Amino acid sequence: TVNGNIVPASLSRTTVSQTHAQYPGSVILTVNFFYQFAANDIFALRWRNNNGYTTVSTYATDGIEPASPAAVLTLQQIG
């Protein structure tokens, strides 16, 4: 949302199988949007699920693999 209003054409959906080869299902959803904002605009990222079984999880490093954040937001000022 921007300033409390839904942004048109900004919805992304994904479906993940519950398990795959006896491992819990997972997905990395990557979406790029380009919007113009004005000074003092307030924007929010939101996600939801329909059945209550979804988690957005951060994983700490185990010394072999790096940490994995739950969400990444990249912003760039142009101009």
Side-chain angles (χ1 to χ4, degrees):
T1 61
V2 176
N3 300 321
N5 300 305
I6 293 173
V7 178
S10 64
L11 176 67
S12 299
R13 293 182 182 208
T14 187
T15 301
V16 181
S17 62
Q18 192 170 20
T19 59
H20 179 73
Q22 300 178 351
Y23 293 98
S26 62
V27 67
I28 297 174
L29 177 63
T30 303
V31 183
N32 295 301
F33 292 110
F34 295 90
Y35 294 109
Q36 291 185 338
F37 295 97
N40 299 315
D41 276 352
I42 298 171
F43 65 93
L45 299 177
R46 298 180 181 194
W47 49 83
R48 72 173 192 178
N49 69 70
N50 293 329
N51 61 17
Y53 298 108
T54 301
T55 61
V56 179
S57 302
T58 294
Y59 295 95
T61 182
D62 61 5
I64 298 170
E65 296 175 332
S68 174
V72 175
L73 171 65
T74 303
L75 300 173
Q76 181 175 358
Q77 183 175 346
I78 300 173

